[in-house]
Amino acid sequence: MDKWDKPLTKNIRSERAFATLTDYRKTGGYQGMRKAITELRPKEVQQWVKDAGLRGRGGAGFSTGLKWSLVPMGYNGATDAHQTRYLVANADEMEPGAFKDRLLLEQDPHQLLEGMIIAAYAIQANIAYIFMRGEYHLAAKRVENALQEARTEGYLGKHILQSDFNLEIYLHTSAGRYICGEETALINALEGKRANPRAKPPFTVVSGLWGKPTVVNNVETLCNVPHILQNGVEWYRGLGRGSDTGTKLFGASGRLKYPGLWELPMGTPIREIIEEHAGGMRDGYKLRGLLPGGASTGFLLPEHLDVLMDYDAVAKAGSRLGTGTMIILDDKTCPVRMLLNIEEFFAQESCGWCTPCRDGLPWTVTLLRDIIAGRGRIEDLDTLAGLTRMLGPGNTFCALAPGAMEPLQGALKFFREDFEQYIPGKLAAGGED
Amino acid sequence: MKNQTEKSSFEGLSPAEIQEINAEISEYEDKMAVSTEALKIIQKHRRWVSDECLVAVAELLELSPAHLEGVATFDNLIYRQPVGKTVIHYCNSVTCWMLGSDQVRERLCRHLDVELGEMSADGEYTILPIVCLGACDHAPVVMVGDELRLDITEDAVNEILGR
Amino acid sequence: MVTIEIDGVYYQVKTETSLLSACLALGLDLPYFCWHPALGSVGACRQCAVIQYHNAEDKQGRLVMACMTPVADGMRVSIDADQAKQFRAENIELLMINHPHDCPVCEEGGECHLQDMTVMTGHTVRRYRGRKRTHKNQYLGPFINHEMNRCIACYRCVRFYNDYAGGSDLQTLGINNNVYFGRFKDGALENEFSGNLVEVCPTGVFTDKTFSDHYARKWDLQTAPSVCVHCSLGCNIAPGERYSELRRVINRYNGEVNGYFLCDRGRFGYGFVNSPERILKPVIKGQTEITTEAADHHFRELLKSDRPVIGIGSPRASLEANFALRTLVGEENFFPGLDPTEHVLLEAINGILRSGGIHSPSLREVEQADAVLILGEDVTNSAPRLALSLRQAVRNAAFELAGTLHIPSWQDAAVRNLGKQLRSPLFIAGVCSTRLDDVAARSYWGSPDDIARLGFAIAYHLDNQAPEPGDLTDADHALAAMIADNLRSAKRPLVVSGTSCASLAVIQAAFNVAKALPSKDRQLTFTVPESNSMGLAIIGGRRLQQAFEWVHEGLSDTVVILENDLYRRAQEQEVDAFLQAAAHVLVIDCLDNKTTQQAELLLPAATFAESEGTLVSNEGRAQRYFPVYPPPENVRGSWQWLSAAAEGSKWRHCDALTSACAETFADLEAITRAAPDANFRINGMKIPRQPHRYSGRTAMLANINVSEPQQPLDPETPFAFSMEGATANVLSALEPVIWAPGWNSNQSINKFQDDIGGHLQGGDYGVRLFEAAGSGDWFNNIPQAFKPDQGIWHLVLLQHIFGSEELSLRSPPLAERALAPCAMLNPEDAGTLAVISGDLVEIKSLNGKTMVSLPVRIEPSLPAGLLGITAGLPETLQVNKLDRVTLKKTGHTTGEQS
Ligand SMILES: Cc1cc2nc3c(=O)[nH]c(=O)nc-3n(C[C@H](O)[C@H](O)[C@H](O)COP(=O)(O)O)c2cc1C
Ligand code: SF4
Ligand code: FES
């Protein structure tokens, strides 16, 4: 493949190195920004991104251009003060199994900044924040450094490229939690409040940070933007292999020969990622199942290996593309114990706002612990199944709990015998305890 | 006259801390936004946030101590108890767990003869769990202070602890 | 109105409402926790789930939270669908995982919203086998208990406390299943409305500590409609009694007045009723206790004086008692018994309200104001519940913006997230900082004269027909102009003032501002000192000083004092001289005080809890309080002592007095309609004060006598001291206990309102006496700017919610929260005197008499030249009547005080 097919990672040469401003500019960096600001009107930039088919890489896959176009741009009948708009880059990456944004932040920070400048221009935001999880120290250092450089170069500040457009970007490092990545919780966290999510509607594009119209985009989403502007909509659309456009950072972790992260066309088949890029399973291990897009996505089985990694295909197979970083379950790992680990994570990270999540996840954990400890009863499996419905989409306040239930739901279906084997008397006597 | 009215407990903070916190404020519409950042600044200087410091920061930001405590106890990386000079966070999320994070934890704790969250006798280390550090392709991973350490083996644990 | 279909039935519902609110207004049972009618929706608890169908074909539907769903025309929903019912039952199951199973020992039991909702959803069997999460509790002060294990994390407490009431020391701490609602450290809750947590919390986490000390179940309490006597607002209360002891006070909903909430003075100030300092027997000085007959006789004898008998009434006594006294001694000889300044101020306020042409708003109307000017009042301390309403009024700007963004006003978090800077303007001109400053657009601190001048200047800027104060500084001009601009553009501007500054000029300035406002919906409200100050102002009468003169001049030698400690009204030596000079002093009161101690004949008066009467609130609303239980033997309502004293009395019953009073005063004509009279019956029956589950009646007094005594009769009111009587068709406003089948908690109030959060079915309690007529002339008497005199301090009395009011201060838990007496000084003045906080200063009158020594407290916002003293504290009463004083440092003592 030639380097243009990997727009996001083309500057990333090795795991340890990172692209300096010079490196970044050498491959066309900041040309997309120049094009947007000097040649296009904000609405046109929105349209380009919409036409390119870019979908949010934060997990939900919402059309990025469409999201931007929902920001009220003119005087919206509100007060003048309400004309402020904000852009936020979501760099909170904390979902187990997700490890893609860190690479972009650490190794090519200018790419994010350029994407943010274009996005901010498209929605006419004059202040933008990068909300970064507190553990990403190296990323924070490199982004802060890149911000300095961008300010010096006049890419940030007043009258960017002699235009009327002003923008300041601030790095906000969190000390928080997984839930801070949920965009409305992120906004509360940014305001210095407890990071409980907010109800939608109103959507953040209408009332977000301090009540002002706010766009929250994932780091990877924003990193795609410069390339769309620089190389055009058609080029971008041509990058995908399935129904979705562009490239995507795909990752795989677990007992693989070469776990890793690769930029590949949207719609690359799962098999190709696991077998070609990750080199297949480690010797002595067999593939039992996988969570295609992180810990909050449902199980796929070996029979799904030919599913294409794009939003629609994975959904059709019964799971979600999520972050596109898959977790591999091998045949020597107990799926029940794996689930316990995952649910412990979600129970711990529940913000405590809504009942089903706050109280349902700890119960899930208790049940799984009981089962593993040999104290389970066969009806506990029904209780667990009931919880997956109870904590399902629409029932809880935000998507954390439904995400937590996705792997459990599949596991109860696909790996039922693994659960049952723990239940005293179940396999031997058939259900007496 | 000024002195008498403005005398307040955030005198307990160092000038450097106050200055760093105040510098953050300009980036936001509202002071409250630096709640977390301010606590992190305290930690940078003192490793952990004592009750006195929390009250002082609250006063500086014109927030109630209870509000700030609400944020601090929601957050994960704010330490409201003393921690060692270096905090070692070991990732206990799913991929690291599959690839041996329990052993990593055991080794770390055994070597230092501490429980999770406890400070080692020499005040050097505290071991804490952390959620996925975004390096699952190099599981198991730990974060030693600010530094991410990948593919942790038994030797790596020894090396980290300098033994 | 829109039409919606719920479980196949079509209903017309109000447009601007959530589905939950609509269902409850229709009388349908739908459980909820995080929602509260006054707090709006946040969608946290997930209890109010229903199924919403997309269209007529949709059989599946989807689960939605009713509280977060706006009603829409043609909407189809189901409360009864299995899927919804199951979800709600399972949600309760989840809430119960960590909830203690000890309803029998929980104080909330029997009036617990969680209990009601659990029964309503049908969750009965526990599947969870694990351990329950437990918490430690905190000490939250003398008012509130904390039992965190009972918490279901509905977030109502913090939403009420912080968002609604402006508190900050109670917050959500922790995360996930370990969220905790408490303070940073143990300590008394600071907010003045903390007591509402008791009612806002749907379980037993926050309960009334004063009630715990003599606890009884809700169903074992005897209750009657009543009115708070601890300030002039007339909040409606439901006091509860058992074993002839007042056990607690809770809110009684009034859609025009207090709505769902009371202040802590009103809720926890009741202890004086049970005080060991109550006067329980008639006493003749020097002799022992006497019988009531002997007392009546003695009273009649005293009245036979050949000289006029002076009758001194009271702003804390009912209209009926004051009127009875006035009639007894003759109109010419009646004195309202007010401090001279207060007397002038009340007359002025009465005149303005009556004929100033400006509407005096109810608290509900206050909440609608879109710009507010407070002139000279610290309402949180002088009329606390009003402060809570003003705190809601500043939200109108946010509601307006929300409207333009199509965010419904009941979407509580969404509206609050629009930005905390977004507030309807509130301007406060006061003596020093107040608890509303945090939501004020601007606070100004000055002497009363300067406050008045600012008011006059604002009026002038609004309308240059109004007189203009001379020599205003540029800054004052600019400030006045800015405030005037804001008030001018408001649709419903409100001016708040009152008597706290003891300044006629402040009251007149407030009127000028209101008169100058262009809006036809302008409003003007005055807070006055006591529960019946307004009523007394309407009755009127002579200056107290004149009574003193009459006695000294020998024009009169007999004085009847009704519920009035004169030492709170005049200088100590004046009162001493008066009471000594009078040959016969007769006092009727409920609590021992310096005046009662000097009575020749002392008659024990029933408190509000044991008698009936009418009070007129600052708004001009007449409301009746009814006895919750009969007074102790030998104790009578003041009106009864007075009517017994009247030879051949026309007023055998209180109703007769009420009617006579209404006939005598045109402005009081409506008081007979404030509540039904004693003849009122429903299907021939009285309204029972005891709920039908009232237990132990046959056994309560078995230790004294095994045969059950007859229940006391109540010839004075439509209520019976009994469980028997009419339970159906009782007017909502007269319900002693709010309860409905399936709804044992206070949330049952939903069943008694015409609309959720609206008026009570059949109308709210009380009656407005008059609407302002006329237009009133400008007041021209503008004071000079205040200039501190060298070495002399102007004394200003500062109201305090805990301590300034006479009766509530005699309630021990409330007294515990009172400010210790102190001398508040500006830092500059403290510098001049070389004192720091805690040093003692001696306060002297200008003629050199040392009055008292007090520890200094530095109050940075207090202007130089003023000395602030907390109003009403017994320890400092002797300086309260002074205008100007000198100060001298007398020593270091207590050290740093806070
Ligand atoms: C519990 C939870 C955690 C999330 N964490 C992240 C995250 O760490 N990073 C992220 O970009 N999006 C995260 N999201 C998704 C965001 O809410 C939001 O959809 C995303 O930032 C939008 O960006 P995009 O449109 O560019 O994808 C999370 C969502 C949920 C429900
Ligand atoms: S599902 Fe509910 S409790 Fe869980 S994180 Fe979202 S809002 Fe918080
Ligand atoms: S009442 Fe609707 S979610 Fe709580």
Side-chain angles (χ1 to χ4, degrees), chain B residues 5 30 51 54-55 64 66 70 73, chain C residues 168 171-174 184-185 420:
Chain B
T5 63
D30 188 282
D51 286 0
L54 186 127
V55 170
S64 74
T73 53
Chain C
S168 63
Q171 298 276 351
T172 315
L173 309 173
F184 177 60
K185 289 270 163 72
K420 62 176 173 187

Side-chain angles (χ1 to χ4, degrees), chain C residues 617-639:
Chain C
S617 75
N618 72 323
E619 175 201 347
R621 176 181 297 269
Q623 302 184 107
R624 194 108 70 237
Y625 59 90
F626 290 103
V628 178
Y629 55 105
E633 215 188 335
N634 301 319
V635 175
R636 290 180 185 165
S638 297
W639 72 266

Side-chain angles (χ1 to χ4, degrees), chain A residues 353-356 358 390 395 397, chain C residues 31-35 42-49 65 67 87 91-92 95 152-155:
Chain A
W353 178 247
C354 73
T355 308
R358 181 189 59 241
M390 180 72 195
N395 296 359
F397 192 82
Chain C
Y32 59 86
F33 291 113
C34 65
W35 181 83
V42 292
C45 74
R46 317 309 277 177
Q47 192 56 52
C48 62
M65 297 308 134
C67 72
F87 181 88
N91 205 56
I92 294 265
L95 287 173
I152 56 164
C154 70
Y155 290 83

Side-chain angles (χ1 to χ4, degrees), chain B residues 123-136:
Chain B
E124 288 294 318
Y125 295 104
T126 296
I127 314 292
L128 285 169
I130 190 87
V131 301
C132 182
L133 285 167
C136 317

Side-chain angles (χ1 to χ4, degrees), chain C residues 539-597:
Chain C
I539 289 179
R542 296 179 184 277
R543 301 280 189 278
L544 185 56
Q545 255 54 28
Q546 217 174 346
F548 298 173
E549 286 160 20
W550 282 13
V551 169
H552 293 309
E553 290 166 12
L555 298 176
S556 175
D557 68 349
T558 305
V559 184
V560 181
I561 302 173
L562 166 67
E563 300 185 36
N564 202 333
D565 178 4
L566 297 185
Y567 289 89
R568 297 179 72 87
R569 313 289 173 186
Q571 297 268 29
E572 187 176 14
Q573 66 272 30
E574 273 185 296
V575 182
D576 283 344
F578 171 63
L579 295 176
Q580 271 151 33
H584 307 289
V585 176
L586 185 148
V587 180
I588 309 173
D589 213 337
C590 59
L591 283 174
D592 177 56
N593 61 41
K594 253 181 110 178
T595 302
T596 61
Q597 282 157 14

Side-chain angles (χ1 to χ4, degrees), chain A residues 310-321:
Chain A
D310 65 32
Y311 295 98
D312 300 340
V314 179
K316 226 169 110 198
S319 184
R320 282 191 311 121
L321 182 66

